[in-house]
Amino acid sequence: MMYLSRRIRFSAAHSCRIADWTNIQNAQAFGKCGVGTGHGHDYLCEVTIEGPIEARTGIVVNLVDVKQVLLETVGVLDSSHLNHDMAEFKNAIPTTELVAGVLWERIVSSEVDFHLRRIRLYQDRTRFVDYHGGTEMVYVTRQIEFSAAHRLHSPELSDEENAAIFGKCNNPNGHGHNYRLEVTVRGSVDPTTGTVIGVGEMDDILDMEVMRRFDHRNLNEDLEEFKQLNPTSEEFSRVIWNHLLPRFNKVELYKIRLVETANNAFEYYGDNHERPY
Ligand SMILES: [Zn+2]
Ligand SMILES: [Zn+2]
């Protein structure tokens, strides 16, 4: 089986509010998208198609056809107001989860001869939704950034061995990284809010369990967890996972991805081994 992706961008305005909720309730459910009368996003929609390679042509699907379908179903949203211009949102809230679902329905109900596998819809650089059809299992990813110092050194190894394994990260006085953390949860879309998890609710969890704990800290010196544990990104990922896991109840923590440098990234799924595309 082959998977191929095509991207399309559009800019649109929206407002995510439940009229008879307080500002605090709306902010918990929708984050900044629930504040004020409306605002815009530069959305990025990545459509993944699955299929066998056709022997005669050597391709899965003609990308010229895909481009045309995406222009007619997704591209038409460019410069629109999702609440006012889309019939689907006359009585629903245009959250990223529900917009991804609407785009999915539009694409599959157009006369396409390809099999849609996934829509990844970025609301902005820091939040995206993976939609595979239906509202029962939708994936939401939030990205945060923080800075921390560490020194990688194992007391069980010689100085030469430590230098050979950890390289620059073995510098005796430590050094710092600007870490990027992507946290992915999955669950069903709440019919009232149109979200898998409240945007403000998830941000509060990440603020409490990651930012306040690790941002601008020396991992070796300031964190009890690393008194006996070498703060490699592998161990760090597991520590972050264990802090986050009990905080998600209605949704399932699915994956974390810790980007240590532009060249090194670490993914951890806890006990999950399933890898849907
Ligand atoms: Zn918004
Ligand atoms: Zn390092």
Side-chain angles (χ1 to χ4, degrees), residues 79-273:
S79 298
S80 71
H81 193 302
L82 302 179
N83 303 68
H84 301 308
D85 299 333
M86 291 180 72
E88 293 95 335
F89 293 115
K90 288 285 181 257
N91 297 306
I93 300 166
T95 61
T96 315
E97 290 90 326
L98 292 188
V99 174
V102 165
L103 297 180
W104 178 281
E105 291 306 323
R106 285 186 173 198
I107 293 169
V108 297
S109 59
S110 63
E111 305 250 312
V112 295
D113 59 352
F114 56 74
H115 186 250
L116 193 54
R117 185 66 183 89
R118 184 186 78 187
I119 286 181
R120 174 169 286 183
L121 183 62
Y122 289 83
Q123 175 184 294
D124 56 43
R125 201 173 53 84
T126 65
R127 191 169 187 277
F128 64 84
V129 162
D130 286 330
Y131 189 89
H132 303 82
T135 56
E136 291 308 307
M137 191 57 86
V138 176
Y139 296 68
V140 175
T141 300
R142 180 81 162 111
Q143 178 192 295
I144 56 173
E145 292 178 1
F146 62 93
S147 306
H150 73 172
R151 184 197 183 206
L152 301 187
H153 184 87
S154 169
E156 293 174 31
L157 301 173
S158 69
D159 286 352
E160 292 72 25
E161 287 171 320
N162 270 298
I165 293 175
F166 302 119
K168 288 181 181 175
C169 287
N170 185 235
N171 182 47
N173 293 317
H175 62 280
H177 292 291
N178 291 323
Y179 290 96
R180 204 171 79 226
L181 177 71
E182 291 177 6
V183 177
T184 303
V185 298
R186 64 179 182 180
S188 60
V189 176
D190 182 303
T192 304
T193 61
T195 60
V196 169
I197 181 171
V199 176
E201 188 184 341
M202 184 158 178
D203 283 352
D204 285 350
I205 293 172
L206 298 187
D207 186 53
M208 186 75 77
E209 301 298 341
V210 180
M211 296 303 287
R212 291 194 206 186
R213 223 180 264 280
F214 303 116
D215 188 34
H216 284 73
R217 297 288 152 80
N218 182 322
L219 299 180
N220 304 67
E221 302 295 329
D222 299 337
L223 275 297
E224 209 47 53
E225 293 94 326
F226 296 113
K227 290 282 186 252
Q228 306 296 330
L229 198 61
N230 199 12
T232 61
S233 284
E234 292 91 327
E235 296 284 16
F236 195 14
S237 297
R238 215 159 44 170
V239 164
I240 293 171
W241 176 276
N242 288 334
H243 281 299
L244 288 174
L245 190 62
R247 298 300 305 272
F248 292 105
N249 304 312
K250 286 175 286 181
V251 296
E252 180 189 353
L253 178 61
Y254 174 65
K255 174 181 117 173
I256 62 172
R257 181 166 187 267
L258 184 65
V259 182
E260 183 188 61
T261 68
N263 299 324
N264 299 335
F266 302 80
E267 291 188 1
Y268 187 59
Y269 292 76
D271 294 329
N272 291 322
H273 299 291

Side-chain angles (χ1 to χ4, degrees), residues 14 16 30 32-34 39-41 43 123:
H14 76 163
C16 297
F30 308 113
K32 285 185 179 174
C33 294
H39 56 277
H41 293 290
Y43 290 91
Q123 175 184 294

